[in-house]
Amino acid sequence: MKILVTGGAGFIGGNYIHERLKNYPTNQVICVDALTYAGNLETLEPVMKNPNFCFELGDIADEARIKEIFEKHKPDIVINFAAESHVDRSIGNPGVFLKTNIIGTQVLLDASRAFGVSRYHQVSTDEVYGDLPLDRPDLFFTEETPIHTSSPYSASKAGADLLCLAYARTYKMPITISRCSNNYGPYHFPEKLIPLMVTNAMQDIPLPVYGKGENVRDWLYVIDHCHAIDLIIQNGRLGEVYNVGGHNERRNIDVVKTLLSQLGKPESLIKYVTDRPGHDLRYAIDPSKISRELGWLPKTSFDDGLRQTIDWYINNRGWWENVLSGKYKEMKIESRF
Ligand code: NAD
Ligand code: TYD
């Protein structure tokens, strides 16, 4: 089985590759990544010498390069993690989000169709549903919740999802989509809430909390997400969307206070800063469908996952210090197979 994973030098794709090669040692995994600022070859260090792993530098929006990679590897399964993924950056510079997230998806879908892959899986986000009010804890996102986006990031991810569903229907392609809540765990780029706050606290520099810190996110340990994707690829129904999340809702300020306490750092490091424009209030996933149809439930509690994540950042200081210094860009890799 040959699995082509895009965006594998990023946070979730990188964790997925580690898990896949560990749990399916006879699979071959090809990682296609453009190595943007978010792509880090040091994340792939643990699998670089694995003979079943191959890295291909490539932009998913570059049709000629993607065709070349498909011709060379003839993948059975394609999983698209590659994306511009940071809401704040999308507010400053939407263009690259549309190019990678929408055009890149179209290029991958066309290549997957031309080469007859047996499954194309799109990794999407709960942000396509917009947000929920803070005073209605009874409301959750289901797969039937209408698309209602807030940021250029979520709009671009929604565009990609609609394209996937259109290809599934028009060309009868074997496509599945997962819409996941906020992930956290090892190898998370320190621009997102949890890794930014952990690494700032470790350096005793201020922790910038937007607004009053009352916005709510539904946190999922990244390895639980990786297992959900495997189940969807194995047994998910074609043309279907699966929400992935685990009733782990937390206010941002509570996440920050918990991690400060676990690190033994003072709350005086918290600095309330100007709110994000269009800031989504609350995300909360109803995972009934994936749980009922595929038997998936998250295994990692937020307290355990946060503890493991903090330990990882303590034990892998070199990884994030190289990101902050820019040294992570110096690492090189040869493609193989
Ligand atoms: P990330 O930003 O950490 O990694 C993205 C990776 O994609 C990087 O390695 C980058 O180099 C690569 N990339 C970017 N543009 C590319 C292009 N044009 N061609 C090839 N590679 C390119 O992102 P992440 O947090 O790992 O997210 C992975 C996927 O999961 C994304 O599709 C994101 O929308 C989705 N998602 C993320 C979360 C989350 O909490 N992080 C939650 C739900 C869904
Ligand atoms: P983020 O990790 O950027 O993920 P998303 O916006 O996709 O949910 O942000 C998570 C929450 O944390 C969000 O409500 C914004 C907030 N936040 C801060 O308060 N300060 C920060 O420096 C960052 C990056 C995020």
Side-chain angles (χ1 to χ4, degrees):
M1 172 90 72
K2 279 193 176 185
I3 306 184
L4 188 144
V5 171
T6 70
F11 164 48
I12 307 178
N15 277 288
Y16 182 80
I17 289 174
H18 297 166
E19 283 298 297
R20 187 82 202 187
L21 286 168
K22 187 172 81 193
N23 298 332
Y24 300 83
T26 57
N27 281 184
Q28 290 191 313
V29 174
I30 303 111
C31 171
V32 178
D33 200 294
L35 297 181
T36 68
Y37 81 91
N40 187 346
L41 286 175
E42 294 185 7
T43 295
L44 293 171
E45 236 272 319
V47 295
M48 269 186 195
K49 296 207 166 67
N50 187 322
N52 284 332
F53 175 72
C54 173
F55 182 85
E56 297 284 4
L57 185 65
D59 180 339
I60 59 164
D62 177 345
E63 206 176 324
R65 177 69 181 128
I66 291 303
K67 186 165 176 244
E68 189 177 86
I69 293 170
F70 272 67
E71 257 162 9
K72 177 173 170 193
H73 293 287
K74 300 191 176 50
D76 302 298
I77 294 178
V78 173
I79 309 177
N80 183 22
F81 292 92
E84 287 291 337
S85 69
H86 190 37
V87 172
D88 294 324
R89 286 180 189 256
S90 82
I91 294 168
N93 181 17
V96 67
F97 283 71
L98 271 57
K99 183 160 183 248
T100 288
N101 298 1
I102 302 180
I103 303 299
T105 298
Q106 173 243 314
V107 167
L108 286 174
L109 285 167
D110 284 341
S112 299
R113 182 171 167 236
F115 285 82
V117 302
S118 63
R119 178 67 64 93
Y120 175 95
H121 183 75
Q122 177 76 1
V123 180
S124 186
T125 167
D126 60 358
E127 300 195 27
V128 301
Y129 300 122
D131 62 352
L132 297 163
L134 291 176
D135 60 355
R136 289 292 307 275
D138 55 315
L139 296 181
F140 296 93
F141 297 136
T142 72
E143 290 80 0
E144 272 69 52
T145 301
I147 300 281
H148 184 81
T149 55
S150 311
S151 69
Y153 163 67
S154 55
S156 68
K157 292 295 290 184
D161 283 14
L162 294 175
L163 212 50
C164 290
L165 294 173
Y167 274 57
R169 178 166 169 157
T170 304
Y171 305 118
K172 301 199 172 13
M173 278 178 64
I175 293 173
T176 42
I177 298 176
S178 50
R179 293 185 180 146
C180 188
S181 58
N182 286 60
N183 284 217
Y184 67 101
Y187 302 105
H188 203 179
F189 198 86
E191 66 176 353
K192 306 281 172 63
L193 181 77
I194 289 181
L196 178 73
M197 299 297 166
V198 169
T199 54
N200 277 15
M202 286 173 73
Q203 299 168 96
D204 297 308
I205 57 180
L207 276 54
V209 171
Y210 298 162
K212 293 183 183 152
E214 285 171 347
N215 302 59
V216 171
R217 295 295 182 263
D218 182 359
W219 294 98
L220 180 69
Y221 193 59
V222 63
I223 303 302
D224 283 326
H225 182 194
C226 295
H227 292 160
I229 291 172
D230 278 339
L231 282 176
I232 296 169
I233 289 168
Q234 274 159 32
N235 299 321
R237 285 185 292 135
L238 299 183
E240 291 288 320
V241 173
Y242 291 91
N243 282 355
V244 186
H247 294 302
N248 252 317
E249 289 176 55
R250 297 282 187 286
R251 294 190 313 162
N252 292 340
I253 189 63
D254 297 328
V255 170
V256 170
K257 286 183 178 172
T258 306
L259 66 84
L260 280 172
S261 142
Q262 289 199 7
L263 280 161
K265 297 287 182 176
E267 289 185 8
S268 56
L269 282 172
I270 295 172
K271 186 177 174 212
Y272 292 95
V273 300
T274 309
D275 209 353
R276 168 188 285 173
H279 197 169
D280 279 337
L281 294 171
R282 171 175 168 250
Y283 302 146
I285 286 253
D286 173 356
S288 312
K289 181 174 172 181
I290 189 167
S291 150
R292 191 179 58 246
E293 289 189 14
L294 305 178
W296 179 87
L297 277 176
K299 294 200 173 110
T300 315
S301 71
F302 187 68
D303 285 346
D304 284 352
L306 191 61
R307 181 75 263 163
Q308 288 175 47
T309 303
I310 289 174
D311 286 347
W312 188 87
Y313 281 87
I314 291 171
N315 295 327
N316 293 274
R317 206 175 171 114
W319 182 90
W320 58 267
E321 282 183 342
N322 282 353
V323 172
L324 297 185
S325 69
K327 203 162 173 269
Y328 74 118
K329 284 288 161 207
E330 290 168 16
M331 190 159 173
K332 300 271 179 290
I333 185 174
E334 303 278 318
S335 68
R336 276 194 313 267
F337 279 178

